[in-house]
């Protein structure tokens, strides 16, 4: 269980996140949505202790502030929005780095399985910097998967924390990655994913946390969060809302209103 | 499909959603073609590492034997075998072997290893292959520390000076190197990344500053100290004695023993500080230890042999080409290659213009500086 209580983040002088409280359980995919600059990455980074924050965060019942890095590494794996890498590390080497940080450090066969899971089988010898943007993003996802390969580890459920994991992927890869996240949660892990694509969020997430200007504006199942007033306020455009019987809400942006109109 | 079925056994949730090969429509053809042109390194690497290990060990052994058997005094391989089997040497040969060549060899080995490993550590810390202790000013800082100790050491309370004894100079050099590294890191690195231009410029500024301060100190030095300074600043292994080795060994030895423990952390650090932390590395601790051991190794090496540049740049660069950037292998291999190369360079420096000696720093710069320029030209500046 991940419990976030009264989380506030200030960067510089500006409050970026204000008083966000939410709880997500293992088995759930939680999509964090909102406009550009709403504070989604900041929320994730605060949970990852990359930003100083007020409030308390508990992961599997432990106060994060008192956990050491290697304890946390066995519990949660991260794919950041922007990745960088120095030197010519290969795909196989970074996936092994993930595995060695997790609780299945010695199960070397995981590397190939994780690469296959993101469709990069046989590519382990390639320099990460020469991959295409989407391949690199999937490579880092494979690294994260290898780190928490067993969704339920010796210390309880594990967590995948993904910042826009499908932002540079093609249509098919987006679905595959979301299926991986779904499968991870169905097997007992927890997933928090910052998402821009509301349709994918509605298809794969159990709940959406919707941020507007650093506030948690809505939290709940896709049906209840994806409502016209909230969306037009957040995105400043009109949205046509539909429902597909199989996957739930489905929406299409319609007209844009310029701010100040 | 074997990969998929075994993944089902280990991680049911993921296996159910792993891509089916039959319906797998990626990567695009262009990307596939790109993959084909690259070596499947996963198979090549283990075999390569074994042969690299053997080659490097052979290099060190060969360089050592050559260094013991070549030189002005006619002490050959046969004499060496005699000595090794316990048979006697002439008194003169004994002095040459035990008091001149052996300490010089030992010093060359350990200084070469220390400089190369300290290059690896700095490069891992700054996430850039151009961070060489000489180039970024760490050696100059260490040199300044050494000069302070040589010139002002007499001002220390007698008890302290006696307690430190011959360790005073290497310790002061280590302290100087540590202070410059710390300052350099503050200036050039902001949280996530190192600005390479700033790192190199800061290196220039730090070298200039410590160089100027060193110059001021030479004015304060008396004649005897000045002689020490000149001799030392030429950068040579010529003055190597067992006493000097004993003074320099603890710091270099400690750094060389500590360095391999930092390897996994430095690997993770290549992904940035935040990701290294998420991979379970205590990043602050790692940086502290890397800076300390790089400074200790550079400091003791500089104190023992003056300014020998580019070993820390060229050795890791060559090895990354040959074996990849994994620090778990890079660090021990760099120690071996650095040791072997410096002993060879020393051998050349004392035989090429015999009976005179070419300062070894000139030789290493002659080979190292072009490599540095070549790395700059090939876009190595961007951390590649
Ligand atoms: N390190 C920082 N310093 C100051 N402001 C920041 C910093 N990081 C993010 N911000 C600001 O916080 C706001 C939210 O950023 P972010 O959480 O990255 O947005 P998003 O929801 O698009 O992921 C943005 O307006 C951004 O300018
Ligand atoms: Mg973001």
């Amino acid at each position: 269980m991940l419990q976030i209580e009264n989380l506030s983040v200030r960067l510089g002088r500006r409050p970026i996140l204000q008083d966000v409280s939410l709880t997500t359980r293992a088995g759930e995919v939680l999509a964090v949505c909102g406009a550009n600059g709403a504070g989604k990455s900041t929320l994730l980074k605060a949970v990852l202790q990359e930003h100083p924050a007020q409030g308390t965060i508990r992961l599997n019942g432990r106060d994060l502030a008192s956990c050491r890095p290697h304890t946390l590494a066995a519990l949660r794996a991260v794919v950041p929005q922007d990745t960088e890498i120095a030197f010519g590390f290969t795909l196989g080497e970074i996936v092994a780095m993930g595995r060695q940080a997790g609780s299945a450090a010695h199960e070397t066969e995981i590397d190939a399985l994780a690469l296959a899971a993101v469709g990069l089988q046989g590519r382990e010898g390639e320099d990460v910097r020469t991959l295409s943007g989407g391949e690199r993003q999937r490579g880092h996802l494979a690294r994260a998967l290898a780190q928490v390969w067993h969704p339920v580890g010796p210390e309880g459920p594990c967590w995948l924390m993904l910042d826009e994991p499908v932002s540079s992927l093609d249509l098919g890869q987006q679905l595959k990655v979301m299926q991986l996240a779904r499968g991870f949660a169905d097997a007992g892990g927890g997933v928090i994913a910052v998402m821009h694509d509301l349709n994918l969020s509605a298809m794969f997430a159990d709940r959406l946390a919707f941020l507007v200007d650093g506030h948690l504006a809505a939290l709940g199942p896709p049906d209840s969060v994806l409502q016209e007033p909230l969306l037009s306020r957040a995105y400043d455009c009109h949205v046509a809302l539909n429902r597909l019987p199989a996957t739930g809400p489905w929406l299409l942006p319609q007209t844009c209103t310029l701010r100040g109109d | 499909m074997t990969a998929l079925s075994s993944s089902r056994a280990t991680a049911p949730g993921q296996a159910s959603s792993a891509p089916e090969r039959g319906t797998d429509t990626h990567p695009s053809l262009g990307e596939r073609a790109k993959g084909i042109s690259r070596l499947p390194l996963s198979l090549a690497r283990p075999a390569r590492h074994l042969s690299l290990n053997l080659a490097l060990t052979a290099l060190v052994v060969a360089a050592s034997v050559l260094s013991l058997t070549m030189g002005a005094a006619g002490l050959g391989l046969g004499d060496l075998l005699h000595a090794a089997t316990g048979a006697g040497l002439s008194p003169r040969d004994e002095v040459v072997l035990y008091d001149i060549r052996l300490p010089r060899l030992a010093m060359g080995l350990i200084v070469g290893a220390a400089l190369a490993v300290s290059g690896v550590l700095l490069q891992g810390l700054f996430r850039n292959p151009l961070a060489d202790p000489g180039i970024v000013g760490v050696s100059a800082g260490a040199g300044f520390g050494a000069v302070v100790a040589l010139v002002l050491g007499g001002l220390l309370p007698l008890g302290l000076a006696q307690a430190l004894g011959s360790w005073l100079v290497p310790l002061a050099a280590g302290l100087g190197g540590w202070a410059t590294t710390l300052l350099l890191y503050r200036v050039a690195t902001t949280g996530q990344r190192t600005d390479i231009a700033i790192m190199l410029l800061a290196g220039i500024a730090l070298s200039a500053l410590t160089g100027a301060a060193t110059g001021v100190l030479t004015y304060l030095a008396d004649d005897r100290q000045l002689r020490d300074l000149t001799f030392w600043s030429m950068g040579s292994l010529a003055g190597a004695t067992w006493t000097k080795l004993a003074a320099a060994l603890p710091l270099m030895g400690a750094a060389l023993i500590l360095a391999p423990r930092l390897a996994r952390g430095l690997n993770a650090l290549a992904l940035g500080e935040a990701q290294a932390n998420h991979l379970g590395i205590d990043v602050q601790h790692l940086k502290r230890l890397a800076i300390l051991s790089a400074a200790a190794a550079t400091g003791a090496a500089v104190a023992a042999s003056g300014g020998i540049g580019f070993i820390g740049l060229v050795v890791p660069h060559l090895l990354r080409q040959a074996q990849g950037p994994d620090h778990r292998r890079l660090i021990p291999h760099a120690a071996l290659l650095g040791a072997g190369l410096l002993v060879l360079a020393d051998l050349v420096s004392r035989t090429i213009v015999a009976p005179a000696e070419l300062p070894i720093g000139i030789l290493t710069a002659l080979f190292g500086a072009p490599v540095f320029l070549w790395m700059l030209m090939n876009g190595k500046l961007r951390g590649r």
Side-chain angles (χ1 to χ4, degrees):
Chain A
M1 191 155 72
L2 175 74
Q3 294 156 286
I4 299 171
E5 283 162 25
N6 308 108
L7 188 72
S8 298
V9 176
R10 301 178 77 87
L11 296 171
R13 289 252 175 101
R14 207 149 66 87
I16 308 287
L17 268 191
Q18 291 184 52
D19 210 25
V20 172
S21 297
L22 62 85
T23 297
T24 168
R25 290 168 201 290
E28 180 173 65
V29 175
L30 178 74
V32 178
C33 303
N36 288 143
K40 307 178 295 295
S41 295
T42 305
L43 174 61
L44 203 65
K45 285 182 179 174
V47 169
L48 295 170
Q49 299 174 295
E50 287 181 37
H51 286 321
Q54 284 184 333
T56 51
I57 304 166
R58 288 173 199 285
L59 192 63
N60 295 358
R62 301 178 187 204
D63 190 342
L64 276 197
S66 64
C67 288
R68 299 186 40 80
H70 72 266
T71 319
L72 287 174
L75 283 182
R76 53 111 181 86
V78 183
V79 178
Q81 189 170 2
D82 307 304
T83 57
E84 52 157 333
I85 185 159
F87 310 117
F89 282 99
T90 63
L91 198 49
E93 283 170 331
I94 67 161
V95 172
M97 280 186 211
R99 185 212 348 123
Q100 285 158 357
S103 59
H106 300 293
E107 299 174 28
T108 48
E109 67 279 5
I110 288 174
D111 296 3
L113 298 176
L115 278 172
V118 300
L120 289 172
Q121 58 279 5
R123 309 281 296 270
E124 61 272 10
E126 291 183 37
D127 187 330
V128 177
R129 296 166 310 182
T130 63
L131 299 175
S132 82
E135 289 171 342
R136 192 174 318 133
Q137 198 168 18
R138 278 148 55 205
H140 282 284
L141 180 64
R143 168 174 68 82
L145 280 177
Q147 189 177 344
V148 289
W149 185 252
H150 304 296
V152 181
E155 305 280 328
C158 294
W159 298 78
L160 271 178
M161 303 191 176
L162 316 171
D163 197 345
E164 301 197 18
V166 298
S167 59
S168 52
L169 302 188
D170 65 53
L171 214 53
Q173 289 299 341
Q174 293 189 0
L175 280 179
K176 285 177 188 163
V177 165
M178 291 314 292
Q179 275 170 8
L180 274 179
R182 184 70 257 169
F184 185 82
D186 290 345
V191 178
I192 301 178
V194 172
M195 299 286 296
H196 267 306
D197 190 323
L198 298 176
N199 288 323
L200 275 180
S201 304
M203 276 171 74
F204 288 98
D206 298 289
R207 290 191 302 159
L208 271 60
F210 203 99
L211 291 174
V212 177
D213 293 336
H215 294 273
L216 184 60
L219 174 67
D223 273 319
S224 73
V225 171
L226 298 178
Q227 299 286 342
E228 170 71 22
L230 176 67
L231 296 178
S232 55
R233 176 159 69 100
Y235 295 112
D236 209 14
C237 71
H238 296 294
V239 175
L241 263 172
N242 296 291
R243 271 198 69 86
L244 293 179
T247 56
W250 174 79
L251 47 86
L252 196 66
Q254 299 267 291
T255 51
C256 200
T257 53
L258 291 174
R259 262 194 220 285
D261 275 9
Chain B
M1 296 306 281
T2 51
L4 288 181
S5 45
S6 63
S7 88
R8 186 160 288 135
T10 50
Q14 289 167 13
S16 63
S17 49
E20 301 286 320
R21 275 199 195 178
T23 60
D24 180 13
T25 53
H26 62 276
S28 72
L29 272 182
E31 286 159 348
R32 279 251 166 86
K34 202 173 73 192
I36 291 169
S37 67
R38 300 183 59 92
L39 266 176
L41 289 178
S42 56
L43 284 179
R45 276 193 180 179
R48 260 207 236 181
H49 291 311
L50 188 63
S51 45
L52 192 61
N53 254 331
L54 290 176
L56 290 174
T57 313
L59 171 78
V60 171
V61 171
S64 303
V65 170
L66 279 177
S67 143
L68 288 178
T69 52
M70 288 178 67
L75 182 74
L77 195 58
D79 301 304
L80 206 60
L81 288 175
H82 274 276
T85 52
L89 287 175
S90 75
R92 196 197 62 124
D93 285 354
E94 221 161 65
V95 170
V96 170
L97 183 61
Y98 293 112
D99 292 346
I100 298 177
R101 288 197 191 159
L102 261 180
R104 185 165 183 155
L105 167 66
M107 189 69 108
L109 288 172
I110 187 128
V111 165
L115 287 174
V117 167
S118 127
V120 173
L121 293 175
L122 287 177
Q123 287 147 23
L125 182 72
F126 285 101
R127 278 163 284 185
N128 188 278
L130 296 176
D132 166 78
I135 292 168
V136 297
V138 177
S139 300
F144 174 63
V147 172
V148 169
L150 285 172
V151 176
L152 303 180
L155 302 181
L156 278 180
L158 198 62
L160 187 60
Q162 269 174 350
L164 290 174
S166 58
W167 292 352
L168 175 64
V169 177
L171 266 181
L175 222 59
W178 175 72
T180 19
T181 316
L182 219 54
L183 196 60
L184 186 73
Y185 194 82
R186 289 276 151 79
V187 173
T189 303
T190 50
Q192 282 306 294
R193 49 178 55 88
T194 300
D195 189 314
I196 304 316
I198 292 186
M199 178 185 83
L200 296 177
L201 290 172
I204 294 175
L206 284 170
S207 299
L209 189 67
T210 49
T214 307
V216 169
L217 279 179
T218 56
Y219 275 100
L220 302 177
D222 61 33
D223 275 357
R224 193 188 57 80
Q225 289 170 340
L226 211 54
R227 209 153 16 89
D228 280 357
L229 279 182
T230 327
F231 193 70
W232 168 83
S233 68
M234 295 222 287
S236 159
L237 294 169
T241 60
W242 291 118
T243 326
K244 276 195 173 182
L245 190 67
L249 196 61
L251 277 185
M252 289 196 271
L256 288 175
I257 289 169
L258 185 62
R261 290 159 199 266
L262 307 180
R264 196 175 85 82
L266 291 175
N267 283 346
L269 199 60
L271 295 166
E273 282 186 28
Q275 293 315 305
N277 177 65
H278 303 332
L279 286 170
I281 306 298
D282 184 341
V283 175
Q284 294 310 319
H285 188 62
L286 170 74
K287 290 194 303 194
R288 220 173 288 134
L289 290 183
I291 290 178
L292 260 181
S293 30
T298 308
V302 166
S305 59
I308 299 177
F310 293 104
I311 292 281
L313 181 86
V314 172
V315 167
H317 176 67
L318 290 176
L319 286 173
R320 279 195 204 96
Q321 306 285 315
Q323 58 135 66
D326 187 340
H327 289 87
R328 287 169 301 178
R329 290 184 279 258
L330 191 53
I331 288 173
H333 286 172
L336 286 175
L337 186 59
L341 280 186
L342 194 66
V343 167
L344 279 184
D346 179 52
L347 180 66
V348 173
S349 83
R350 65 189 166 83
T351 49
I352 196 168
V353 289
E357 260 192 39
L358 200 66
I360 190 171
I362 290 182
L363 259 181
T364 56
L366 214 54
F367 287 101
V371 174
F372 180 61
L373 287 175
W374 184 84
M375 285 167 76
L376 283 175
M377 277 194 303
N378 281 274
K380 306 289 167 191
L381 198 58
R382 287 179 292 278
R384 302 191 160 196

